[in-house]
Structure formats: C-alpha cells, structure tokens
Amino acid sequence: SLSMPKFGIALLLTILASSAHAGCGEGRGTCYYYKQGELKGQGECAVTTCAATDQYFHSEWVWDNGNRVNITPSEDKLGTLVNGKPGYALQLPFKDEEMICYAISENDELVCNDSGVF
C-alpha cells in the first residue's frame, strides 16, 4: 500500500528524534533476512547506528558471516535506502521490542536485527 512507506519513515523519524544526539550506538544481536515473508538467513551480527541530527543517520549491520546491511537516508532525506535500494523502517513491537526491521520495497525483502540499537 502507498501509505506504508510514509508511515514507516514517520515512525523512523520519531524513533530517531527521541534519541537525537550526535553520536553512535553499538551493539550485538541476531540479524535476520527474509525474502517474500520466508526466513532465509539469520546470524550473529554487530550493529552500529550513528545519528548526527534527527534528519541524518547511518546504520551498518555486519554479520559474522561477512554479509553487510547499510541503511542510509535517500538523497532527498525523505526516504531510506537499504543497501542502496529504496526501503522503509518497520518496528515490530508485537514480536520483540528490541527488534527493528527494514523492508526493501522492490524485492519483497526484509532485514531485521534485535540488538536494540536504533
């Protein structure tokens, strides 16, 4: 649906605004990779999320197996890029309050981690 990405972005900005301090958070957790709703991979990962302002952030997830996920703002700062592809944030509080997920719009992919580092 068209409203989902805007909702996700608004939610993400709310999350970031609540911790809008310049600096980085680091943690470890489990990262998950879903394709078309099916869990395709999971593994231990290190998560680093840096927020310079409430408009700019960068998150990098480095899986122990070498996979990487980079989450950055789009050039217009209104959207989110997940490994360079348009995406949006999803918070799944019903599953785990420490879990955050990013959907990649065009590929029906979802990446999540439970490090609690937003």
Side-chain angles (χ1 to χ4, degrees):
S1 75
L2 292 174
S3 61
M4 188 63 123
K6 287 193 173 74
F7 173 73
I9 291 163
L11 192 59
L12 178 64
L13 291 176
T14 303
I15 293 165
L16 290 172
S18 66
S19 62
H21 57 276
C24 298
E26 295 183 31
R28 284 190 64 81
T30 303
C31 283
Y32 303 87
Y33 170 70
Y34 298 87
K35 177 84 173 174
Q36 295 175 328
E38 198 177 315
L39 181 63
K40 295 291 189 182
Q42 73 180 73
E44 290 291 305
C45 62
V47 176
T48 304
T49 298
C50 300
T53 68
D54 60 359
Q55 294 297 312
Y56 178 80
F57 76 102
H58 173 250
S59 188
E60 183 177 46
W61 310 357
V62 181
W63 297 49
D64 289 358
N65 68 10
N67 291 341
R68 284 176 181 263
V69 177
N70 275 289
I71 294 127
T72 54
S74 60
E75 284 183 26
D76 61 10
K77 304 285 191 286
L78 298 175
T80 299
L81 297 177
V82 183
N83 283 350
K85 297 175 185 161
Y88 52 92
L90 294 171
Q91 183 112 37
L92 302 176
F94 58 87
K95 185 166 184 182
D96 180 347
E97 62 189 22
E98 299 290 293
M99 181 88 79
I100 189 163
C101 297
Y102 289 88
I104 302 171
S105 309
E106 63 193 47
N107 294 356
D108 199 10
E109 294 175 312
L110 192 65
V111 291
C112 303
N113 84 71
D114 62 6
S115 69
V117 178
F118 302 144

